[in-house]
């Protein structure tokens, strides 16, 4: 694979050496990065003892749809929003790569990565909103409905040239309004802890952190 492993030990079985055994095994198989679910102090100690350092923290944030105030979105001048259509794939990949140029995974999506997601049973082009300026895609909000009661801010991406214009907030509102029309009761999302701007945006809309995954890597 890509040298990444996930390490989980049932709470009732911790402090018996299972984590150490698993970690030693995945490292011996060539793992360069290990995800630990939950920011557990024991995981930090175990990782440090193996010479691994904390390199990423991924937050899950959630909020109920009840009580969510969603006024009409305010788009930047010259920007319009429409939903995804066949043929938009290359332009979407280009703005995704620009928006997530510094992200270790998202910005490297290929046409195959995109087609695989679009082949999933949850994919609905009506929930993938594209922002255009002069016929060029400059941002998007891809929503996801994995179950009848739960929606997800799957990916929210803004071209660097449009950041700071309010487009991210407008697209977030548009997607959340769509999810509310779908009858969703709760919305979840994942965001890098290091992405302070995105965390502030989501917090301002009432999202709170519900879980955290931490990645430890070889030095």
């Amino acid at each position: 694979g890509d040298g990444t492993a996930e390490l989980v030990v049932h709470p009732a079985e911790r402090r018996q050496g299972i984590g150490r055994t698993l970690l030693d095994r995945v490292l011996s198989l060539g793992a360069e990065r290990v995800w630990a679910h939950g920011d557990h102090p024991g995981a930090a100690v175990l990782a440090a003892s193996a010479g691994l350092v904390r390199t990423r923290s991924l937050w899950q944030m959630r909020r109920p749809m009840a009580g969510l105030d969603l006024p009409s979105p305010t788009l930047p001048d010259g920007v319009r929003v429409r939903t995804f259509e066949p043929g938009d794939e290359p332009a979407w990949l280009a703005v995704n790569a620009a928006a997530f140029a510094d992200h270790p995974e998202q910005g490297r999506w290929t046409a195959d990565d995109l087609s695989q997601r679009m082949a999933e049973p949850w994919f609905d082009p009506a929930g993938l909103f594209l922002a255009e300026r002069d016929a060029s895609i400059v941002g998007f909000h891809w929503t996801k409905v994995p179950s009848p009661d739960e929606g997800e801010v799957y990916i929210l991406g803004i071209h660097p040239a449009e950041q700071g214009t309010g487009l991210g907030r407008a697209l977030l509102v548009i997607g959340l309004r769509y999810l509310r029309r779908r009858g969703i009761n709760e919305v979840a999302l994942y965001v890098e802890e290091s992405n302070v701007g995105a965390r502030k945006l989501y917090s301002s809309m009432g999202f709170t952190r519900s879980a955290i995954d931490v990645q430890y890597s070889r030095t």
Side-chain angles (χ1 to χ4, degrees):
D2 65 352
T4 302
E6 296 183 57
L7 189 57
V8 180
V9 178
H10 191 283
E13 302 296 332
R14 289 174 181 160
R15 305 186 68 83
Q16 299 183 44
I18 296 173
R20 163 60 68 184
T21 300
L22 290 171
L23 181 59
D24 289 346
R25 180 58 174 161
V26 298
L27 293 176
S28 72
L29 292 173
E32 295 291 332
R33 297 165 296 278
V34 180
W35 281 103
H37 299 288
D39 195 7
H40 195 277
V45 171
L46 177 61
S49 71
L52 304 181
V53 297
R54 182 184 180 119
T55 48
R56 285 177 68 191
S57 296
L58 185 66
W59 287 18
Q60 181 179 139
M61 303 183 76
R62 311 179 72 90
R63 72 148 295 151
M65 195 62 88
L68 176 57
D69 183 27
L70 291 174
S72 297
T74 303
L75 290 166
D77 290 341
V79 174
R80 75 180 189 103
V81 173
R82 62 176 177 84
T83 53
F84 181 88
E85 299 173 359
D88 285 328
E89 291 87 348
W92 184 90
L93 284 166
V95 72
N96 178 70
F100 295 100
D102 296 328
H103 194 279
E105 297 146 1
Q106 184 62 44
R108 294 173 172 78
W109 272 34
T110 65
D112 284 343
D113 293 324
L114 181 57
S115 63
Q116 287 174 18
R117 269 61 170 198
M118 289 182 170
E120 293 287 342
W122 52 259
F123 175 68
D124 185 349
L128 175 44
F129 299 92
L130 307 178
E132 285 188 322
R133 182 186 294 280
D134 300 326
S136 295
I137 299 175
V138 294
F140 63 91
H141 181 183
W142 189 345
T143 66
K144 180 178 179 179
V145 182
S147 67
D149 291 331
E150 182 174 277
E152 183 177 331
V153 178
Y154 183 45
I155 317 172
L156 179 64
I158 308 298
H159 191 282
E162 295 288 337
Q163 291 176 3
T165 64
L167 180 56
R169 178 176 294 275
L171 281 170
L172 178 60
V173 169
I174 288 170
L176 291 175
R177 286 163 68 101
Y178 164 78
L179 291 172
R180 185 163 64 184
R181 290 195 302 272
R182 290 283 302 266
I184 296 304
N185 293 323
E186 189 172 42
V187 184
L189 61 89
Y190 291 88
V191 61
E192 298 285 339
E193 183 180 67
S194 59
N195 192 342
V196 177
R199 288 198 287 112
K200 285 183 177 179
L201 172 60
Y202 297 136
S203 295
S204 74
M205 298 294 287
F207 285 87
T208 58
R209 192 181 79 180
S210 58
I212 182 170
D213 296 326
V214 180
Q215 186 184 83
Y216 298 95
S217 303
R218 294 182 190 266
T219 54

